[in-house]
Amino acid sequence: TTDERTGHRWWSAAQSPAQDVEMTGYGLLLLCHAGRLGEALQAARWLLDKRTASGGFSSTQDTVLALNALATYATAVAGDVDLEVELTGGGGVSAKMGVDGSNADVLQTVDMPDPAERTTVKASGRGLAVVVAEAVYNLRVDLAKACYSLDVRWFLGKVPAASGPVRACTAPAAECEVSEDGMRILNIGLFTGYSAVRSSLEDLRLAGDIKRFEFGDGQVDLYLEAVPTTQQTCVEFMVSRDFEATGLQARASTVYEYYAPE
């Protein structure tokens, strides 16, 4: 597919933006391995245009794949680069940067005035370098409506016990169009001093209730392969106390779609 706005080439899975990034990453890798670097440039530019301000993409999986593809492309074209790049911005700010085989994979940055009236980029030499301009600003936006409910209950008693079950239930909201297909992630916040019992999570995985799980700092992520649209989906696991803590407070928990975390 060719982007009508930019003319850049990309591939689509016709399901979600994250999967479009993954498909284009695979396409870029194939073009690089085939030595078709001219065509690969268009896919690389499309991927660069889809990055977030932090340099990643929508999810962990598409970020890993896209960055690997971009790194493969950068390695393929770095050997024949010898450029001098000059930036000139508002307020008389200017900077020169050299790009060659020794630093083609090194990020070079220049802070331009805020606001920059006009920025001009000139390059001379041979090869390819990518210049990305990033503008940071604030917008007032409405909060996104919640498309899933999530109820997390701890059963530790009035005097918190050393161990006990935690039950998390989620269901799609009726006003949202939600497909049963696609992975969902339950991000369960854990009280200070408690951790999830691995064996109980392994039992959930072996029973097919979850696809996988990951431990984080004060939390555990449960990956659900599918969520029915007409009923609640509940999972229950055990937690144990690692150390004593007083004044336990509620911890935030969230649920989101793997390929559409927003």
Side-chain angles (χ1 to χ4, degrees), residues 6-75:
T6 64
H8 299 160
R9 187 177 186 180
W10 60 291
W11 286 260
S12 175
Q15 295 186 35
S16 72
Q19 288 176 303
D20 291 345
V21 169
E22 289 185 27
M23 291 289 291
T24 303
Y26 282 124
L28 177 55
L29 286 171
L30 288 172
L31 289 172
C32 289
H33 288 308
R36 295 159 61 180
L37 299 182
E39 297 173 72
L41 171 60
Q42 299 302 316
R45 284 179 168 171
W46 187 89
L47 286 173
L48 289 169
D49 190 49
K50 297 303 177 182
R51 292 184 307 168
T52 64
S54 60
F57 295 86
S58 297
S59 68
T60 301
Q61 183 166 318
D62 70 340
T63 296
V64 169
L65 204 155
L67 292 181
N68 180 42
L70 289 169
T72 300
Y73 175 74
T75 301

Side-chain angles (χ1 to χ4, degrees), residues 3 8 16 28 45 47 90 100 102 104 108 132 166 197 203 219:
D3 191 304
H8 299 160
S16 72
L28 177 55
R45 284 179 168 171
L47 286 173
D100 55 32
S102 66
Q108 301 184 57
V132 178
V166 174
V197 176
D203 290 341
Q219 64 187 36

Side-chain angles (χ1 to χ4, degrees), residues 194-216:
Y194 284 86
S195 61
V197 176
R198 179 179 289 272
S199 61
S200 67
L201 298 176
E202 287 286 2
D203 290 341
L204 288 175
R205 186 182 63 82
L206 293 174
D209 295 327
I210 62 174
K211 181 68 174 179
R212 54 183 288 198
F213 59 88
E214 291 180 351
F215 293 100

